[in-house]
């Protein structure tokens, strides 16, 4: 006999749970507390089992019967509905745990443990914030269209380079998700070429010897923080990347051998880099050592000696000296050195490239060059610093012989 709504409404709690039977294994369990629970009794693998189908009145009699019929269809297909439910619940729990945000944080922690620079992981966390629209979505369920919509929001705001870098970061996270079996595909890969490419902006730099001399004299007259002035003085002599300069540590400086050894974790190409120090560079470092030598960083932050100088310090100092963004940047010291050293005709292109720590696509060739050009690089560092001294003094400009192909 089928269960009716009248019978359900008439059911009263008793001291012990009791059943109100419907059809095909469905029954309503009446609890002593007054709760009404839908249950399905069935057999699978030779055993009697029960499946929860909801509570009354949230699940009506007709809804409970529909759920019963769906479960019986699974049984007809030799599928245990209870086991199928547990599998689905496990998959849903896994999807919730493996959101894009959680996988991205795991990826960021991984690269941090691998020794990536603090600036790299800081940017990665910033990228993750910008990707918040997909942050709580299961990483395996994100489609290329969904990711593209998030990237297009940045593009619509004119942040073309940011959109490109976000796609690249997302691609790395999805690649990690695939490698760790949390996703089966990388939805960022099909989006190559889908975003507007930003115009390449060359970093401004002073390339004329006479104007380089003027810049060096302006640095000598700088009246800001002593550590900032020291960093400005050293930058032209070592022409490392701004991030490498401001993260310099005293433990990396070997005064006896006149060399600065930058660990791989701080280098863009993830290879350790040795910088020969001219006598002028050593003198500058000795001067700043009296100010910051007891701390970790050669050029610490003015707010805390436990942190390096801000990434905007050098650029801000150049602006205060009157050099606009279209004239000179902190990165421009590298371009200045690269251009004038090449135009001097005195040094091999390979030695200059090694001094700039540029990546060599040929790994065997790169490994050879690291050792083969050291002597030339030491001599080049000395010559370059002497040349800068002459330019700063405003003396006779050394004629540079332009190399022709």
């Amino acid at each position: 006999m089928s269960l009716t709504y009248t019978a359900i409404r008439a059911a009263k709690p008793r001291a012990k749970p009791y059943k109100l039977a419907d059809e095909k294994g469905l029954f309503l369990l009446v609890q002593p507390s007054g709760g009404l629970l839908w249950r399905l009794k069935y057999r699978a693998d030779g055993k009697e089992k029960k499946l929860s189908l909801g509570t009354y009145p949230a699940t009506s009699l007709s809804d409970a019967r529909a759920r019963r019929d769906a479960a019986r269809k699974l049984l007809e297909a030799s599928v245990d509905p209870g086991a199928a439910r547990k599998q689905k619940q496990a998959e849903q729990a896994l999807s919730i745990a493996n959101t894009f945000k959680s996988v991205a944080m795991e990826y960021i922690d991984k690269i941090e443990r691998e020794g990536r620079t603090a600036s790299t992981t800081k940017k990665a966390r910033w990228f993750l914030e910008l990707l918040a629209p997909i942050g709580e979505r299961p990483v395996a369920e994100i489609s290329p269209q969904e990711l593209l919509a998030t990237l297009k929001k940045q593009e619509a705001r004119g942040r073309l380079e940011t959109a490109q870098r976000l796609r690249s970061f997302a691609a790395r996270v999805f690649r990690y998700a695939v490698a760790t079996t949390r996703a089966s595909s990388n939805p960022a890969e099909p989006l190559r070429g889908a975003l507007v490419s930003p115009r390449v902006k060359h970093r401004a730099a002073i390339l004329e010897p006479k104007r380089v001399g003027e810049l060096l004299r302006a640095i000598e007259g700088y009246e800001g923080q002593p550590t900032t002035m020291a960093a400005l003085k050293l930058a032209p002599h070592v022409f490392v990347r701004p991030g490498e300069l401001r993260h310099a540590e005293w433990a990396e400086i070997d005064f006896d051998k006149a060399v600065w050894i930058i660990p791989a974790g701080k280098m863009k190409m993830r290879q350790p880099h040795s910088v020969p120090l001219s006598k002028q560079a050593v003198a500058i470092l000795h001067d700043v050592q009296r100010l910051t030598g007891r701390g970790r960083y050669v050029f610490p932050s003015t707010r805390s000696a436990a942190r390096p100088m801000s990434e905007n310090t050098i650029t801000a100092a150049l602006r205060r000296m009157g050099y606009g963004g279209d004239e000179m940047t902190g990165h421009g010291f590298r371009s200045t050195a690269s251009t004038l050293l090449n135009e001097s005709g005195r040094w091999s292109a390979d030695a200059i490239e090694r001094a700039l720590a540029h990546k060599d696509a040929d790994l065997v060739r790169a490994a050879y060059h690291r050792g083969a050009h050291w002597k030339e690089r030491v001599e080049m560092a000395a010559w370059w610093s002497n040349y800068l001294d002459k330019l700063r003094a405003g003396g006779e400009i050394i004629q540079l012989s332009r190399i022709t192909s």
Side-chain angles (χ1 to χ4, degrees):
M1 181 177 176
S2 301
L3 190 60
T4 65
Y5 280 107
T6 300
I8 295 172
R9 286 192 289 268
K12 303 297 181 183
R14 300 174 185 174
K16 293 183 179 181
Y18 67 96
K19 302 176 184 178
L20 296 177
D22 187 46
E23 295 177 326
K24 302 175 183 178
L26 178 65
F27 64 89
L28 186 67
L29 184 64
V30 183
Q31 297 283 69
S33 62
L36 304 175
L37 313 176
W38 291 113
R39 295 289 186 266
L40 174 66
K41 182 171 67 175
Y42 67 96
R43 293 189 70 83
D45 301 325
K47 298 179 181 179
E48 184 177 287
K49 299 182 178 182
K50 292 182 178 66
L51 182 67
S52 172
L53 298 181
T55 62
Y56 182 86
T59 302
S60 66
L61 175 57
S62 58
D63 288 339
R65 286 170 174 168
R67 293 177 184 181
R68 172 201 63 194
D69 294 342
R72 290 178 66 84
K73 283 185 179 180
L74 290 174
L75 284 169
E76 291 173 5
S78 300
V79 176
D80 183 339
R85 175 182 289 180
K86 288 179 182 178
Q87 175 66 23
K88 185 176 180 179
Q89 289 172 341
E91 290 175 354
Q92 289 176 338
L94 188 62
S95 292
I96 293 171
N98 290 328
T99 62
F100 179 85
K101 181 178 180 180
S102 64
V103 174
M105 287 302 299
E106 186 178 316
Y107 168 73
I108 293 171
D109 289 341
K110 172 181 174 290
I111 64 175
E112 198 167 31
R113 290 195 305 272
E114 290 173 344
R116 303 293 179 91
T117 62
S119 60
T120 298
T121 54
K122 182 179 179 181
K123 286 179 182 177
R125 289 190 175 90
W126 178 59
F127 292 153
L128 181 55
E129 289 179 11
L130 296 180
L131 290 168
I134 63 170
E136 300 304 326
R137 293 273 291 119
V139 71
E141 297 179 13
I142 298 171
S143 67
Q145 294 84 354
E146 190 175 359
L147 175 60
L148 182 61
T150 300
L151 300 177
K152 284 290 186 181
K153 290 179 181 178
Q154 296 296 325
E155 189 177 85
R157 295 170 185 163
R159 301 173 180 174
L160 305 185
E161 185 175 354
T162 297
Q164 293 280 0
R165 295 174 73 183
L166 279 180
R167 191 212 66 82
S168 180
F169 171 72
R172 294 194 294 275
V173 173
F174 285 118
R175 196 176 301 124
Y176 176 72
V178 171
T180 55
T181 69
R182 265 80 68 82
S184 58
S185 62
N186 186 340
E189 287 302 323
L191 301 183
R192 288 180 180 273
L195 299 170
V196 176
S197 297
R199 289 185 177 182
V200 177
K201 294 182 179 180
H202 296 286
R203 295 182 175 94
I206 294 173
L207 305 178
E208 298 79 19
K210 183 178 179 180
R211 294 203 59 220
V212 171
E214 293 171 355
L215 171 62
L216 296 174
R217 288 191 292 275
I219 290 174
E220 283 292 329
Y222 179 72
E223 296 180 351
Q225 290 289 333
T227 51
T228 303
M229 181 177 182
L232 283 167
K233 285 184 175 181
L234 185 63
H237 293 275
V238 293
F239 44 89
V240 295
R241 296 178 180 88
E244 295 156 8
L245 180 68
R246 68 188 188 88
H247 281 95
E249 297 181 31
W250 286 115
E252 299 164 1
I253 309 296
D254 188 330
F255 283 107
D256 293 333
K257 295 181 179 179
V259 62
W260 170 19
I261 300 176
I262 308 176
K266 293 183 178 181
M267 296 300 297
K268 181 179 180 181
M269 300 307 172
R270 304 302 171 206
Q271 293 288 338
H273 182 57
S274 298
V275 181
L277 300 172
S278 65
K279 63 181 182 180
Q280 290 90 334
V282 168
I284 294 168
L285 286 169
H286 272 309
D287 285 342
V288 75
Q289 188 180 36
R290 287 191 282 270
L291 297 173
T292 68
R294 293 184 179 181
R296 174 183 176 183
Y297 293 104
V298 177
F299 306 110
S301 166
T302 55
R303 295 182 179 180
S304 171
R307 296 186 314 200
M309 173 185 288
S310 165
E311 61 183 336
N312 297 318
T313 300
I314 297 295
T315 298
L318 289 168
R319 299 297 168 266
R320 284 195 291 272
M321 289 189 290
Y323 289 92
D326 58 345
E327 290 182 283
M328 189 64 182
T329 64
H331 202 281
F333 291 110
R334 288 168 58 77
S335 298
T336 299
S338 176
T339 298
L340 298 187
L341 285 170
N342 275 294
E343 290 183 353
S344 74
R346 295 168 178 263
W347 315 103
S348 69
D350 285 331
I352 296 172
E353 289 298 288
R354 282 303 311 145
L356 293 166
H358 284 162
K359 186 175 183 180
D360 194 320
D362 186 332
L363 296 180
V364 175
R365 184 170 183 263
Y368 170 75
H369 284 176
R370 277 197 289 274
H373 291 282
W374 180 251
K375 184 175 183 296
E376 183 180 5
R377 287 182 56 205
V378 171
E379 295 172 353
M380 182 171 69
W383 179 88
W384 175 246
S385 287
N386 289 337
Y387 181 49
L388 291 178
D389 284 349
K390 291 179 181 178
L391 294 182
R392 187 183 67 252
E396 182 180 354
I397 303 298
I398 298 175
Q399 182 62 43
L400 301 178
S401 55
R402 295 186 178 271
I403 302 174
T404 57
S405 56

